[in-house]
Amino acid sequence: MRDTCRWFVAILDLAGASALAATAQAGPLDPPGYQKAFSCSACHGFAGNSKTDTTPILAGMAPWYFKKAIADYASGKRPAAEMEPFAKMIDVLGADDVANYFAAQPRQASAIRLDPAAVERGRAASTPCVVCHGQNGKGDASKGIPDISGQPPGYLQAQMLKFKADTRSPGDPALKALKTLMATIPDPTLADLAAYYSSLR
């Protein structure tokens, strides 16, 4: 009797699997590039929508900027012990596929709550930033300037502090003007700027 029950359960399992296979449709794990991008989700969130304050959102990121960041991390030009091995792995797997996967994902707004007063102070202090990043923070791909709108404020603030200290891409002549500007801005104002640009959509 026990063997008969096991046989019956096995038949039901096979029937269920066949039915699922027959009706299966593409889901959120099936887009091209997902398998290569899977390891990124541990830190950057499912489909690149980071839920933390210090990790950037990759969803909707322009492929050109994603690939530049990966190349800079992989080469050590942009020092980051936690990112370098993953960047090298993406280089091997195919940066184009991973970049295109994240670019195709709908971006969700950062879940980090912002202080409205900090946002307003940041808006007032953003005039020097508009020259490169534009009124809406979307940047200019033709000049190699990335979109920084909507990123978590903690991430934006950390990057500005690195620019100020010349620890992000140290010695890069293309960033000299930016780093010179950052050196003139007090740290509390950088926090306000981060809140403002995080608020943009």
Side-chain angles (χ1 to χ4, degrees):
M1 180 66 177
R2 186 172 297 171
D3 289 341
T4 302
C5 287
R6 287 176 179 166
W7 174 82
F8 184 65
V9 170
I11 293 297
L12 287 177
D13 285 346
L14 285 172
S18 297
L20 286 172
T23 60
Q25 298 180 4
L29 306 186
D30 298 316
Y34 172 77
Q35 291 77 13
K36 296 178 180 180
F38 176 74
S39 61
C40 305
S41 63
C43 295
H44 292 277
F46 181 70
N49 279 297
S50 169
K51 303 300 182 185
T52 72
D53 190 24
T54 56
T55 306
I57 295 170
L58 302 182
M61 182 175 285
W64 73 267
Y65 185 67
F66 179 90
K67 290 188 290 184
K68 180 185 185 305
I70 290 300
D72 287 352
Y73 281 130
S75 68
K77 179 179 180 180
R78 183 173 171 178
E82 71 279 11
M83 272 301 302
E84 186 175 334
F86 287 102
K88 289 178 176 176
M89 179 183 70
I90 290 171
D91 248 357
V92 171
L93 292 174
D96 283 328
D97 290 340
V98 179
N100 291 334
Y101 166 76
F102 283 121
Q105 303 313 302
R107 176 179 284 198
Q108 299 171 8
S110 171
I112 307 303
R113 296 185 66 179
L114 301 170
D115 175 6
V119 171
E120 286 307 311
R121 290 194 301 269
R123 188 193 312 275
S126 69
T127 301
C129 310
V130 170
V131 175
C132 293
H133 287 284
Q135 292 288 347
N136 55 7
K138 299 297 182 183
D140 186 343
S142 68
K143 297 178 181 177
I145 300 169
D147 178 356
I148 60 173
S149 64
Q151 288 290 350
Y155 170 73
L156 292 174
Q157 182 182 5
Q159 298 312 301
M160 287 188 279
L161 289 170
K162 287 181 178 181
F163 282 130
K164 185 174 184 176
D166 195 21
T167 56
R168 174 166 164 174
S169 302
D172 186 343
L175 298 173
K176 184 176 180 179
L178 172 61
K179 292 176 178 180
T180 300
L181 172 63
M182 290 293 157
T184 68
I185 302 175
D187 290 359
T189 302
L190 293 180
D192 293 338
L193 286 169
Y196 169 61
Y197 281 104
S198 183
S199 75
L200 298 178
R201 300 289 179 263

